[in-house]
Amino acid sequence: MIEELDRIVVKSVIYTSGERDPRVPVPRPPDQGKFYMMGHDSRLPRMPDKPTLCDFFRYRFGPSNHVMQSARLAQKSGANEKVVLACLLHDISVAGFIRGDHGYWGAQLVEPYVDAEVSWAIRYHQALRFFPDESVGYRYPESYIKLFGPDYKPEPYIERDYQYAREHKWYMTSRLITVNDLYAFDPAMQVQLEEFTDIVGRNFKQPKEGLGFDASPSAHMWRTMMWPTKYL
Ligand SMILES: [Fe+2]
Ligand SMILES: [Fe+2]
């Protein structure tokens, strides 16, 4: 552990781009005879050897009230388990990975482990959030006016993906994420992940090797969340 504490941590460009000019190489601290971080960062809670989705919720996703409240709302409205799971997972990229294009990243993270309809819904909720659907009483969120300003217009790729999703047979699954997506959520209302143990158990194919070690197309992304400061 002492040896781990001593390792030199170099952040990936994506963590510092903006604060730093990405055209300039990241300054490498002199090694002073120390080794570089090549695994677990001792400042972070250690993940079990075979981490499950729940372990990521517990140790990497921070308080996940937002997604858990969305999932509970979906469940209360009588939505099916795919929708509830999609709500539970829809913003995990914001919580634990990358904010920008979080719908696409989030879908890719879970794609190998869920029904294709669930990851599809997660991918497109990001675009659908910006477009109303009167048929289900979904309006452009007030909070987006506050967050992005009254003149914000989504980029053309978002508009294009919305147009595509609108005509798709799984449109309503994705739309239901946006319907149950809460923005003015109540911080006093606590939801426990255990509430969804059965739904996750039935609908999320937990790899026996642990998330990150199963050689799936997104395993490396889970490893990056586990070891975000690994040097290479
Ligand atoms: Fe989202
Ligand atoms: Fe959300």
Side-chain angles (χ1 to χ4, degrees), residues 158-221:
I158 291 285
E159 164 97 42
R160 176 201 67 203
D161 287 0
Y162 159 68
Q163 298 292 352
Y164 164 76
R166 203 173 58 167
E167 303 303 325
H168 197 279
K169 63 177 173 182
W170 292 333
Y171 166 71
M172 203 36 83
T173 312
S174 194
R175 175 51 80 192
L176 285 176
I177 296 179
T178 72
V179 169
N180 292 291
D181 205 348
L182 290 160
Y183 270 76
F185 70 98
D186 177 1
M189 184 167 87
Q190 290 297 320
V191 189
Q192 300 302 321
L193 190 58
E194 285 67 34
E195 218 172 281
F196 307 102
T197 305
D198 290 347
I199 287 185
V200 169
R202 281 192 292 270
N203 298 279
F204 189 91
K205 295 179 214 88
Q206 174 64 44
K208 61 178 185 323
E209 304 89 339
L211 280 170
F213 303 111
D214 54 321
S216 87
S218 67
H220 60 289
M221 294 160 69

Side-chain angles (χ1 to χ4, degrees), residues 66 90-91 94 102-103 125-126 129 144 177 181 183:
H66 168 67
H90 78 280
D91 282 340
V94 174
H102 72 286
H125 94 274
Q126 183 189 330
R129 289 283 304 151
Y144 278 13
I177 296 179
D181 205 348
Y183 270 76

